[in-house]
Structure formats: C-alpha cells, structure tokens
C-alpha cells in the first residue's frame, strides 16, 4: 500500500457507457469492470478499473453528478473518518455518504463549495477490498500501465488551495511545469496538480475545474499515433527533462480532457525530479 494521502480514482460523466468504454479500450488500452452498487444508485451506470478511471452514466437527475463532466476526485487517506471531521470543522459537509459493505466502511464526497473541487475521501484499501469481491483488484500504485498518473485541476488561488489541501489532507506541494495548461502549477507525490492562470488557447478544452486526466503509458508515441489516427490531434507537447514528450489532446472520448506521458517520466511529472 502506497503512502497516503494519494489520488486513487476520478469519476466523470459520460453520455454513453458502451461507446465510451469501447473507445477507451481501443485508444488507451483500458479495461473496465462493473462494481456492485447499493439500491440508492439504481439511476446510474458505473464502470471501474485498476487504472483509476470511473465513468458514470446517469439515467435521471442525480444531484452529486450534476456539476458537469467532473463528478469526483477521490483521495486515499489513512483514516477517512478523521479527514471527514477536519472537513466538517472547516465548514464543509458531505454531499454523499457512501457505504462500502466489503470493508464495512464509509467514504465521503464533498461538494464544489471546496474551491469548486468535488473531493471524495476514502480510507486507503477500502475500495480495493470492495472490488475484490469479484476477484483481485490492485491499488493504483500497484496497477499496471496504462493508468492515471496525475490529475490537473484549475484553481483561482494556487497558494490558498494548496494550503487548504495541506491542512485537510496533509498534502505537500512543489512548483512544477504546468505543461502548457496555465501560468503556474504545484504538484506532489499525491498525483494532484493544481493549475493557476489557464492557457486561453487551451481552456476551451477544460471542464472546470478539470483540465486534464494524465495517463502514464509504456509507449507514449504509439498511443499518440493511435489517438491522432482516431481523430484526436495533439494540442500541446511538453518536452520532458527525463526524456521523451508528454502530450495534451484536450477533450477526447466523450469530452474527457486527456494527456499522456511516458511511464519512465513519472517522477518528473509528480515533482520528484
């Protein structure tokens, strides 16, 4: 189990689950499973993967999924109950309390009143225990590529959001290359990158606050070619100090803002080099 706090998954709205998962499989090599859900979630379809991407299709109005493409950025913590108490002490209340029967535990979704970022708080290992009912399910740290390596979120006040995340989660941040997405950026080993001053040439591709879901892949050039052949051109290229390139494609596959980078550059992407 990796060190907490850490990004563990992101949930996004999709228009058609079947076509989304098929295209994500063809272009990115992703596979999905269908988790068991409580009866209260009968109005949505959900798929999930060790890669950290969780597409959700709603079949009627669902308040927690009504804020645009981004539904949640989930953060693994050592103790979800302790972090929930910190959020509540700071004036934030969960909009969803989700019970996980496998580990007999709760996870908590907070709304966009926290800097416009919907954050899910979960105890590390709980979701993997829940998913393990249908077979082995690895944590994101241990999963094979392709998988999400970083999530880019646009914020109005970089320092304030970083300070609040440090207070509530214990996250640490360092300055990093914003990858063409904005003027300044902070990132950390938790795999959340905060972007300030969005690039006006690319911001139409964002689904605020989500600027990009960055996938680490083994052969970045092969995936780039596959995406371009599929009709998704590169919109920005970042030349990496560690070698090779990271590519930003903007909104692809049912408006999911996408970037890819070589797995060999992971340390650079999350600010460790």
């Amino acid at each position: 189990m990796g060190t907490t706090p850490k990004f563990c998954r992101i949930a996004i709205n999709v228009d058609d689950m079947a076509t989304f998962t098929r295209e994500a499989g063809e272009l990115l090599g992703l596979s999905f499973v269908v988790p068991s859900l409580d009866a209260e979630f009968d109005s949505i379809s959900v798929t999930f993967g060790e890669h950290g991407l969780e597409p959700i299709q709603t079949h009627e109005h669902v308040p927690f999924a009504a804020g645009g493409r981004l539904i949640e950025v989930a953060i693994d913590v050592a103790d979800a109950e302790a972090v929930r108490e910190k959020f509540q002490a700071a004036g934030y209340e969960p909009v969803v309390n989700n019970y996980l029967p496998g580990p007999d535990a709760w996870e908590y979704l907070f709304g966009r009143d926290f800097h416009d970022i919907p954050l899910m708080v979960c105890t590390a290992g709980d979701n993997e225990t829940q998913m393990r009912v249908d077979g082995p399910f690895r944590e994101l740290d241990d999963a094979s590529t392709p998988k999400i390596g970083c999530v880019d979120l646009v914020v109005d006040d970089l320092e304030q959001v970083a300070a609040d995340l440090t207070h509530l989660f214990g996250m640490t941040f360092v300055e990093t290359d914003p990858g063409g997405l904005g003027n300044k950026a902070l990132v950390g080993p938790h795999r959340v990158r905060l972007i300030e001053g969005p690039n006006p040439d690319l911001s139409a591709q964002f689904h605020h606050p989500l600027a990009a879901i960055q996938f680490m892949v083994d052969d970045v050039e092969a995936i780039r070619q596959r995406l371009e052949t599929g009709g998704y051109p590169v919109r920005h290229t970042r030349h990496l100090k560690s070698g090779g390139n990271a590519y930003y494609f903007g909104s692809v596959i049912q408006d999911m803002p996408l970037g890819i980078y070589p797995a060999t550059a992971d340390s650079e992407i999350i600010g460790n080099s």
Side-chain angles (χ1 to χ4, degrees):
M1 183 181 298
T3 302
T4 56
K6 59 182 179 178
F7 165 83
C8 60
R9 72 179 186 274
I10 186 169
I12 59 170
N13 272 309
V14 299
D15 300 319
D16 183 275
M17 185 68 75
T19 57
F20 180 89
T21 53
R22 183 180 69 250
E23 193 169 1
E26 293 170 350
L27 296 178
L28 293 171
L30 305 182
S31 60
F32 297 87
V33 295
V34 179
S36 58
L37 298 174
D38 293 340
E40 65 182 297
F41 296 117
D42 285 346
S43 59
I44 66 175
S45 298
V46 180
T47 62
F48 205 96
E50 291 180 338
H51 42 69
L53 182 61
E54 181 183 5
I56 294 177
Q57 181 182 358
T58 59
H59 305 298
E60 58 186 60
H61 178 73
V62 180
F64 74 83
R69 284 296 175 197
L70 178 62
I71 296 175
E72 71 180 40
V73 176
I75 307 294
D76 269 345
V77 298
D79 184 342
E81 299 303 326
V83 175
R84 173 187 58 79
E85 290 175 2
K86 282 188 174 182
F87 265 84
Q88 290 178 312
Y92 303 106
E93 292 293 334
V95 295
V96 174
N97 301 299
N98 186 38
Y99 178 65
L100 303 172
D104 185 24
W106 292 86
E107 60 180 6
Y108 303 99
L109 176 62
F110 290 86
R112 287 179 176 254
D113 52 338
F114 180 80
H115 300 289
D116 198 33
I117 304 171
L119 292 170
M120 176 70 86
V121 175
C122 40
T123 298
D126 279 357
N127 273 273
E128 290 74 22
T129 298
Q130 178 68 28
M131 295 296 292
R132 206 168 289 132
V133 173
D134 300 317
F137 198 90
R138 294 171 292 183
E139 292 190 34
L140 186 63
D141 283 352
D142 300 323
S144 59
T145 51
K147 62 182 178 180
I148 298 174
C150 189
V151 173
D152 294 326
L153 302 172
V154 175
V155 298
D156 291 333
D157 188 330
L158 198 65
E159 299 299 333
Q160 185 60 60
V161 177
D164 288 346
L165 291 172
T166 298
H167 170 66
L168 294 171
F169 288 101
M171 290 181 173
T172 59
F173 291 89
V174 296
E175 291 185 8
T176 189
D177 189 326
L181 302 182
N183 294 329
K184 298 190 295 184
L186 297 174
V187 76
H190 41 72
R191 302 187 178 280
V192 174
R193 184 167 63 168
L194 304 176
I195 305 287
E196 183 179 286
N199 181 346
D201 294 331
L202 294 177
S203 61
Q205 303 299 315
F206 302 170
H207 294 272
H208 287 272
L210 181 62
I213 302 173
Q214 302 281 355
F215 277 85
M216 69 166 85
V217 299
D218 290 327
D219 189 338
V220 73
E221 295 302 329
I223 301 298
R224 175 190 59 78
Q225 291 176 7
R226 194 182 303 164
L227 283 159
E228 290 186 318
T229 300
Y232 301 120
V234 171
R235 296 181 182 276
H236 185 272
T237 300
R238 172 183 172 184
H239 303 294
L240 299 165
K241 294 183 295 183
S242 51
N245 296 318
Y247 299 106
Y248 180 67
F249 293 87
S251 286
V252 303
I253 315 176
Q254 295 183 29
D255 287 338
M256 175 179 69
L258 174 71
I260 60 173
Y261 68 88
T264 52
D266 188 51
S267 184
E268 179 180 351
I269 294 295
I270 61 174
N272 290 341
S273 61

